[in-house]
PDB file of all heavy atoms in Angstrom:
ATOM      1  N   GLN A  50     -13.473   3.643 -12.035  1.00 93.00           N
ATOM      2  CA  GLN A  50     -14.144   3.952 -13.310  1.00 93.00           C
ATOM      3  C   GLN A  50     -12.986   4.138 -14.358  1.00 93.00           C
ATOM      4  O   GLN A  50     -13.134   3.576 -15.443  1.00 93.00           O
ATOM      5  CB  GLN A  50     -14.933   5.255 -13.226  1.00 93.00           C
ATOM      6  CG  GLN A  50     -15.585   5.462 -14.638  1.00 93.00           C
ATOM      7  CD  GLN A  50     -16.598   4.493 -15.073  1.00 93.00           C
ATOM      8  OE1 GLN A  50     -17.193   3.732 -14.229  1.00 93.00           O
ATOM      9  NE2 GLN A  50     -16.597   4.087 -16.293  1.00 93.00           N
ATOM     10  N   ARG A  51     -11.945   4.746 -14.097  1.00 91.00           N
ATOM     11  CA  ARG A  51     -10.770   4.785 -14.942  1.00 91.00           C
ATOM     12  C   ARG A  51     -10.200   3.423 -15.417  1.00 91.00           C
ATOM     13  O   ARG A  51      -9.933   3.261 -16.611  1.00 91.00           O
ATOM     14  CB  ARG A  51      -9.695   5.804 -14.369  1.00 91.00           C
ATOM     15  CG  ARG A  51      -8.641   6.224 -15.471  1.00 91.00           C
ATOM     16  CD  ARG A  51      -9.249   7.315 -16.329  1.00 91.00           C
ATOM     17  NE  ARG A  51      -8.140   7.840 -17.154  1.00 91.00           N
ATOM     18  CZ  ARG A  51      -8.275   8.078 -18.506  1.00 91.00           C
ATOM     19  NH1 ARG A  51      -9.399   7.856 -19.100  1.00 91.00           N
ATOM     20  NH2 ARG A  51      -7.235   8.418 -19.113  1.00 91.00           N
ATOM     21  N   SER A  52     -10.237   2.598 -14.353  1.00 90.00           N
ATOM     22  CA  SER A  52      -9.579   1.263 -14.557  1.00 90.00           C
ATOM     23  C   SER A  52     -10.652   0.552 -15.697  1.00 90.00           C
ATOM     24  O   SER A  52     -10.057  -0.113 -16.573  1.00 90.00           O
ATOM     25  CB  SER A  52      -9.663   0.549 -13.376  1.00 90.00           C
ATOM     26  OG  SER A  52      -9.283  -0.845 -13.606  1.00 90.00           O
ATOM     27  N   ARG A  53     -11.923   0.650 -15.449  1.00 90.00           N
ATOM     28  CA  ARG A  53     -12.834   0.039 -16.441  1.00 90.00           C
ATOM     29  C   ARG A  53     -12.604   0.721 -17.889  1.00 90.00           C
ATOM     30  O   ARG A  53     -12.740  -0.044 -18.846  1.00 90.00           O
ATOM     31  CB  ARG A  53     -14.350   0.249 -15.849  1.00 90.00           C
ATOM     32  CG  ARG A  53     -14.587  -0.722 -14.695  1.00 90.00           C
ATOM     33  CD  ARG A  53     -16.062  -0.665 -14.333  1.00 90.00           C
ATOM     34  NE  ARG A  53     -16.393   0.684 -13.604  1.00 90.00           N
ATOM     35  CZ  ARG A  53     -16.349   0.866 -12.311  1.00 90.00           C
ATOM     36  NH1 ARG A  53     -15.797  -0.008 -11.474  1.00 90.00           N
ATOM     37  NH2 ARG A  53     -16.756   1.946 -11.918  1.00 90.00           N
ATOM     38  N   GLU A  54     -12.503   2.009 -17.922  1.00 88.00           N
ATOM     39  CA  GLU A  54     -12.300   2.674 -19.254  1.00 88.00           C
ATOM     40  C   GLU A  54     -11.087   2.230 -19.976  1.00 88.00           C
ATOM     41  O   GLU A  54     -11.153   1.879 -21.239  1.00 88.00           O
ATOM     42  CB  GLU A  54     -12.213   4.126 -19.061  1.00 88.00           C
ATOM     43  CG  GLU A  54     -13.411   4.925 -18.706  1.00 88.00           C
ATOM     44  CD  GLU A  54     -13.235   6.454 -18.624  1.00 88.00           C
ATOM     45  OE1 GLU A  54     -11.968   6.894 -18.632  1.00 88.00           O
ATOM     46  OE2 GLU A  54     -14.169   7.073 -18.445  1.00 88.00           O
ATOM     47  N   LEU A  55      -9.980   2.010 -19.236  1.00 87.00           N
ATOM     48  CA  LEU A  55      -8.721   1.672 -19.821  1.00 87.00           C
ATOM     49  C   LEU A  55      -8.375   0.190 -19.787  1.00 87.00           C
ATOM     50  O   LEU A  55      -7.434  -0.186 -20.475  1.00 87.00           O
ATOM     51  CB  LEU A  55      -7.577   2.409 -19.177  1.00 87.00           C
ATOM     52  CG  LEU A  55      -7.681   3.956 -19.259  1.00 87.00           C
ATOM     53  CD1 LEU A  55      -6.535   4.525 -18.365  1.00 87.00           C
ATOM     54  CD2 LEU A  55      -7.598   4.536 -20.493  1.00 87.00           C
ATOM     55  N   VAL A  56      -9.139  -0.513 -19.148  1.00 88.00           N
ATOM     56  CA  VAL A  56      -8.953  -1.993 -18.890  1.00 88.00           C
ATOM     57  C   VAL A  56      -7.508  -2.076 -18.318  1.00 88.00           C
ATOM     58  O   VAL A  56      -6.748  -2.885 -18.885  1.00 88.00           O
ATOM     59  CB  VAL A  56      -9.181  -2.788 -20.156  1.00 88.00           C
ATOM     60  CG1 VAL A  56      -9.104  -4.293 -19.861  1.00 88.00           C
ATOM     61  CG2 VAL A  56     -10.513  -2.375 -20.866  1.00 88.00           C
ATOM     62  N   ASP A  57      -7.196  -1.370 -17.330  1.00 87.00           N
ATOM     63  CA  ASP A  57      -5.875  -1.275 -16.726  1.00 87.00           C
ATOM     64  C   ASP A  57      -5.978  -1.687 -15.320  1.00 87.00           C
ATOM     65  O   ASP A  57      -6.476  -0.886 -14.388  1.00 87.00           O
ATOM     66  CB  ASP A  57      -5.212   0.040 -16.981  1.00 87.00           C
ATOM     67  CG  ASP A  57      -3.810   0.197 -16.467  1.00 87.00           C
ATOM     68  OD1 ASP A  57      -3.415  -0.666 -15.678  1.00 87.00           O
ATOM     69  OD2 ASP A  57      -3.176   1.225 -16.736  1.00 87.00           O
ATOM     70  N   PRO A  58      -5.411  -2.860 -14.968  1.00 88.00           N
ATOM     71  CA  PRO A  58      -5.638  -3.255 -13.522  1.00 88.00           C
ATOM     72  C   PRO A  58      -4.716  -2.555 -12.598  1.00 88.00           C
ATOM     73  O   PRO A  58      -5.046  -2.511 -11.354  1.00 88.00           O
ATOM     74  CB  PRO A  58      -5.125  -4.788 -13.576  1.00 88.00           C
ATOM     75  CG  PRO A  58      -4.225  -4.892 -14.735  1.00 88.00           C
ATOM     76  CD  PRO A  58      -4.838  -3.791 -15.791  1.00 88.00           C
ATOM     77  N   HIS A  59      -3.816  -1.696 -13.004  1.00 87.00           N
ATOM     78  CA  HIS A  59      -2.982  -0.953 -12.118  1.00 87.00           C
ATOM     79  C   HIS A  59      -3.874   0.126 -11.278  1.00 87.00           C
ATOM     80  O   HIS A  59      -3.645   0.428 -10.102  1.00 87.00           O
ATOM     81  CB  HIS A  59      -1.938  -0.196 -12.916  1.00 87.00           C
ATOM     82  CG  HIS A  59      -0.818  -0.999 -13.309  1.00 87.00           C
ATOM     83  ND1 HIS A  59      -0.901  -1.459 -14.645  1.00 87.00           N
ATOM     84  CD2 HIS A  59       0.167  -1.668 -12.701  1.00 87.00           C
ATOM     85  CE1 HIS A  59       0.186  -2.337 -14.790  1.00 87.00           C
ATOM     86  NE2 HIS A  59       0.846  -2.355 -13.579  1.00 87.00           N
ATOM     87  N   TYR A  60      -4.987   0.557 -12.006  1.00 89.00           N
ATOM     88  CA  TYR A  60      -5.851   1.518 -11.271  1.00 89.00           C
ATOM     89  C   TYR A  60      -6.574   0.929 -10.112  1.00 89.00           C
ATOM     90  O   TYR A  60      -6.956   1.606  -9.198  1.00 89.00           O
ATOM     91  CB  TYR A  60      -6.975   2.142 -12.331  1.00 89.00           C
ATOM     92  CG  TYR A  60      -6.234   3.199 -13.150  1.00 89.00           C
ATOM     93  CD1 TYR A  60      -5.572   2.920 -14.350  1.00 89.00           C
ATOM     94  CD2 TYR A  60      -6.350   4.489 -12.764  1.00 89.00           C
ATOM     95  CE1 TYR A  60      -4.947   3.863 -15.053  1.00 89.00           C
ATOM     96  CE2 TYR A  60      -5.832   5.489 -13.590  1.00 89.00           C
ATOM     97  CZ  TYR A  60      -5.002   5.131 -14.680  1.00 89.00           C
ATOM     98  OH  TYR A  60      -4.445   6.120 -15.446  1.00 89.00           O
ATOM     99  N   TYR A  61      -6.794  -0.428 -10.129  1.00 92.00           N
ATOM    100  CA  TYR A  61      -7.361  -1.099  -8.936  1.00 92.00           C
ATOM    101  C   TYR A  61      -6.372  -0.906  -7.699  1.00 92.00           C
ATOM    102  O   TYR A  61      -6.880  -0.657  -6.620  1.00 92.00           O
ATOM    103  CB  TYR A  61      -7.402  -2.565  -9.187  1.00 92.00           C
ATOM    104  CG  TYR A  61      -8.808  -2.923  -9.964  1.00 92.00           C
ATOM    105  CD1 TYR A  61      -8.689  -3.104 -11.314  1.00 92.00           C
ATOM    106  CD2 TYR A  61     -10.006  -3.141  -9.322  1.00 92.00           C
ATOM    107  CE1 TYR A  61      -9.745  -3.492 -12.117  1.00 92.00           C
ATOM    108  CE2 TYR A  61     -11.077  -3.478 -10.079  1.00 92.00           C
ATOM    109  CZ  TYR A  61     -11.040  -3.625 -11.445  1.00 92.00           C
ATOM    110  OH  TYR A  61     -12.087  -3.905 -12.140  1.00 92.00           O
ATOM    111  N   ASP A  62      -5.145  -1.056  -7.923  1.00 92.00           N
ATOM    112  CA  ASP A  62      -4.190  -0.884  -6.937  1.00 92.00           C
ATOM    113  C   ASP A  62      -4.233   0.637  -6.363  1.00 92.00           C
ATOM    114  O   ASP A  62      -4.290   0.911  -5.184  1.00 92.00           O
ATOM    115  CB  ASP A  62      -2.721  -1.119  -7.369  1.00 92.00           C
ATOM    116  CG  ASP A  62      -2.500  -2.598  -7.685  1.00 92.00           C
ATOM    117  OD1 ASP A  62      -3.282  -3.488  -7.139  1.00 92.00           O
ATOM    118  OD2 ASP A  62      -1.645  -2.891  -8.503  1.00 92.00           O
ATOM    119  N   TYR A  63      -4.249   1.537  -7.336  1.00 93.00           N
ATOM    120  CA  TYR A  63      -4.499   2.938  -6.914  1.00 93.00           C
ATOM    121  C   TYR A  63      -5.631   3.134  -6.120  1.00 93.00           C
ATOM    122  O   TYR A  63      -5.727   3.883  -5.007  1.00 93.00           O
ATOM    123  CB  TYR A  63      -4.298   3.891  -8.064  1.00 93.00           C
ATOM    124  CG  TYR A  63      -3.170   3.857  -8.895  1.00 93.00           C
ATOM    125  CD1 TYR A  63      -3.225   3.925 -10.273  1.00 93.00           C
ATOM    126  CD2 TYR A  63      -1.909   3.901  -8.228  1.00 93.00           C
ATOM    127  CE1 TYR A  63      -1.986   3.968 -11.055  1.00 93.00           C
ATOM    128  CE2 TYR A  63      -0.757   3.800  -9.070  1.00 93.00           C
ATOM    129  CZ  TYR A  63      -0.798   3.844 -10.382  1.00 93.00           C
ATOM    130  OH  TYR A  63       0.310   3.974 -11.169  1.00 93.00           O
TER     131      TYR A  63
END
Side-chain angles (χ1 to χ4, degrees):
Q50 181 58 37
R51 192 75 172 135
S52 176
R53 289 187 287 272
E54 284 181 356
L55 299 175
V56 191
D57 184 345
H59 291 98
Y60 281 87
Y61 281 95
D62 295 334
Y63 296 143

